Amino acid sequence: MSPTLIAGNDVRHLLLDLQQMKVFSANPLIIREARGVYLTDVDGKRYIDGVSGIYVVNIGHGNEHVIEAIRKQQERVSFVAPLHAVSDTTVRFAKKLTEITPAGLDTVKLVSGGSEATESALKFARQYHRQSGSPAKYKVIANYLGYHGGTMGAMSASGLGGPRKAVFGPFLTGFVHIPPPSCFPGPFDLAGSSCAHPGAAMLEYTIRHEGPESVAAFILEPISNTGGIVVPPPEYFQGVREVCSRYGVLLVYDEIITGMGRTGNWFAAQTFGVTPDILCVGKGLASGYAPLAAMIVRDELHYSAFWGEESQNISFAHGHTFGGNPIATAAGLAVIEVIEKEDLIPKGVSVGRHIRKRLREEIGALGILGEVRGRGALSCVEFVENMDTGKPFADERRFGKQVEKRLIQHGLILRCDPHWIGLAPPLTMTVEQADEMLEVFVKAVAEELREGK
Ligand SMILES: Cc1ncc(COP(=O)(O)O)c(C=O)c1O
């Protein structure tokens, strides 16, 4: 049987992420091949990958340099157990990674996915305080609407409402949520830059009322995806940095999405000019060529609390069998080389700007533009029913999800929410390809506006 030939309803053996499998199995999207910014399904239909898989494939699909690096690594050594040893490739990768992170973030814990990275950060924060004179610090503060992963710790930190979280409770104790720094429409309608200040002040208020002696960390996504590509005002970062430093609270950036060139620099920490104590990166780290993620901490935290003699028993008490897998780190090294050699970060920025400009003009012309948000190669358009009043579409209308069905029909894959749609193509996307994507997008939105109900 040809590898692309799928018999009958074989798909029913799978449980895909958040998919209603009965519906998906009836008309499954099964991809056979991917090159650059295009995917091809088993029937030969072509799709534009307008969201890099899901904010993952930053260098585009089918990159020969990365494929060759993986092949060569596979021939030498494919697995080394992190419990006993480390591969030479993994050592080189970790060193290279610390060359592109903000200064001071030089200790790397490698894992296989974003949830493992954020979970590692939460555990690192708790153990750090226990070993550095503040054993009562265990609480983690996080933003509502934030998403930090699917494992129980990461999900406890996530501030989502709805079925994605609610069906799994009760959650771990010690997690406290505060409103995100969202200006549109924002929990308290804090329009303009004034919304910066409640963000940091809200954090400080919460730390003080929880008891600073009990708070270990504050975790945030520099740009929140599930909240709808929420870009905080730049003052927000300086504000939360100062508050965290004042109360001995570790500041953790979840850069699972924003890392690896997505926001115009390697990391959003550089884009916003404020360095956290711990930075988590996943998705784009190996651009989807292998599962790879990392928690990167300030050297000083590592050396002051975890660096010791065997008798002290203070090593970081956490690990995963596939952490730092040589195949994955070979892919990660090659991905960084591609981004550097092809100068992809500024390319992503300029195409991102072009996308946002066209979205403003063309969704505005349809009369349903709420806001276009984004930074670098990460963009989103939020829809409203009435641009004069800012009234959103009714939740039951599920406007963006209805648009999604039309996008798939027309051969475009994006991140669709009922009220907003995210566009984050590979950094390799050309302006011509972006125009092709936007034509399909605007056509599908206009169709839904005309024909949907
Ligand atoms: C911001 C953020 N953090 C963490 C995660 C979890 O990553 P993974 O799905 O690789 O476990 C995700 C995944 O979507 C994410 O968007």
Side-chain angles (χ1 to χ4, degrees):
M1 189 161 85
S2 133
T4 59
L5 208 61
I6 307 288
N9 60 354
D10 288 353
V11 168
R12 80 185 161 81
H13 297 293
L14 290 162
L15 274 175
L16 297 179
D17 294 9
L18 310 174
Q19 283 285 353
Q20 192 62 67
M21 288 311 295
K22 182 178 178 192
V23 178
F24 184 86
S25 312
N27 188 20
L29 175 57
I30 305 174
I31 300 301
R32 180 184 75 189
E33 220 173 88
R35 282 287 170 276
V37 302
Y38 298 104
L39 308 168
T40 309
D41 74 11
V42 284
D43 299 320
K45 179 174 167 184
R46 197 181 73 152
Y47 301 80
I48 302 169
D49 183 356
V51 66
S52 307
I54 187 68
Y55 310 110
V56 170
V57 190
N58 291 1
I59 65 160
H61 299 271
N63 185 288
E64 291 299 337
H65 178 66
V66 182
I67 293 169
E68 183 58 14
I70 291 173
R71 195 187 59 75
K72 282 194 179 138
Q73 182 63 46
Q74 196 71 269
E75 281 171 3
R76 277 201 308 121
V77 52
S78 53
F79 180 76
V80 174
L83 196 60
H84 312 303
V86 63
S87 83
D88 55 343
T89 306
T90 301
V91 175
R92 278 192 291 125
F93 173 70
K95 179 160 185 290
K96 182 71 190 171
L97 185 56
T98 60
E99 284 167 18
I100 62 172
T101 52
L105 287 170
D106 284 335
T107 299
V108 179
K109 175 80 182 164
L110 290 166
V111 290
S112 306
S115 307
E116 286 183 6
T118 51
E119 199 79 38
S120 301
L122 302 173
K123 290 176 75 176
F124 184 93
R126 284 189 174 181
Q127 194 183 342
Y128 167 78
H129 288 299
R130 219 153 277 181
Q131 293 177 184
S132 59
S134 307
K137 278 183 171 287
Y138 71 98
K139 290 180 190 161
V140 173
I141 301 176
N143 286 324
Y144 281 116
L145 292 179
Y147 179 69
H148 300 295
T151 52
M152 280 308 251
M155 182 117 291
S156 301
S158 299
L160 304 171
R164 193 166 179 185
K165 181 168 176 183
V167 290
F168 300 114
F171 291 95
L172 306 188
T173 51
F175 288 83
V176 179
H177 291 96
I178 59 176
S182 165
C183 304
F184 181 90
F188 308 114
D189 200 15
L190 299 162
S193 67
S194 67
C195 74
H197 307 299
M202 190 98 62
L203 175 65
E204 179 162 25
Y205 183 91
T206 308
I207 293 172
R208 290 180 59 171
H209 285 80
E210 288 294 325
E213 71 290 346
S214 71
V215 181
F218 174 46
I219 184 167
L220 62 89
E221 295 161 83
I223 297 178
S224 161
N225 170 58
T226 39
I229 314 295
V230 176
V231 186
E235 315 89 273
Y236 173 74
F237 294 95
Q238 197 52 48
V240 297
R241 174 69 276 178
E242 282 165 19
V243 169
C244 285
S245 300
R246 195 174 314 140
Y247 294 97
V249 170
L250 297 181
L251 177 59
V252 182
Y253 282 3
D254 175 344
E255 294 225 32
I256 307 296
I257 288 179
T258 55
M260 301 311 286
R262 204 25 83 192
T263 69
N265 289 282
W266 286 106
F267 297 98
Q270 293 143 339
T271 298
F272 295 112
V274 174
T275 303
D277 299 300
I278 304 179
L279 188 154
C280 299
V281 55
K283 294 193 185 277
L285 190 56
S287 209
Y289 288 79
L292 182 64
M295 170 197 76
I296 309 162
V297 304
R298 275 201 297 120
D299 255 6
E300 195 258 321
L301 303 180
H302 173 214
Y303 290 122
S304 65
F306 296 87
W307 189 266
E309 302 306 327
E310 201 177 332
S311 56
Q312 292 177 270
N313 205 14
I314 53 171
S315 64
F316 182 32
H318 172 72
H320 295 279
T321 300
F322 294 116
N325 174 271
I327 305 295
T329 53
L333 256 180
V335 164
I336 294 176
E337 283 160 11
V338 170
I339 295 175
E340 281 178 337
K341 199 155 148 246
E342 299 182 19
D343 208 13
L344 292 183
I345 298 178
K347 284 185 186 154
V349 171
S350 90
V351 173
R353 271 199 205 112
H354 177 73
I355 289 172
R356 289 191 287 280
K357 179 168 177 290
R358 276 197 61 177
L359 286 174
R360 267 183 214 106
E361 290 166 3
E362 296 177 38
I363 302 302
L366 293 175
I368 55 165
L369 176 66
E371 191 174 57
V372 170
R373 295 185 286 274
R375 194 51 95 89
L378 182 57
S379 306
C380 126
V381 56
E382 174 126 14
F383 305 106
V384 290
E385 191 178 69
N386 185 322
M387 275 175 72
D388 294 329
T389 62
K391 182 175 174 254
F393 282 103
D395 287 346
E396 314 77 76
R397 175 80 167 78
R398 294 179 62 75
F399 185 80
K401 296 304 278 180
Q402 296 304 331
V403 171
E404 183 172 31
K405 293 180 188 159
R406 296 177 189 274
L407 291 173
I408 300 284
Q409 277 166 17
H410 295 308
L412 172 58
I413 298 177
L414 296 176
R415 164 69 166 90
C416 299
D417 180 89
H419 295 284
W420 58 270
I421 291 183
L423 298 92
L427 308 180
T428 51
M429 181 176 264
T430 62
V431 175
E432 293 72 31
Q433 289 168 334
D435 284 337
E436 182 191 353
M437 171 176 79
L438 289 163
E439 255 148 57
V440 175
F441 180 66
V442 175
K443 183 167 122 183
V445 173
E447 258 177 32
E448 177 57 28
L449 199 55
R450 215 172 40 240
E451 299 163 15
K453 48 188 171 344

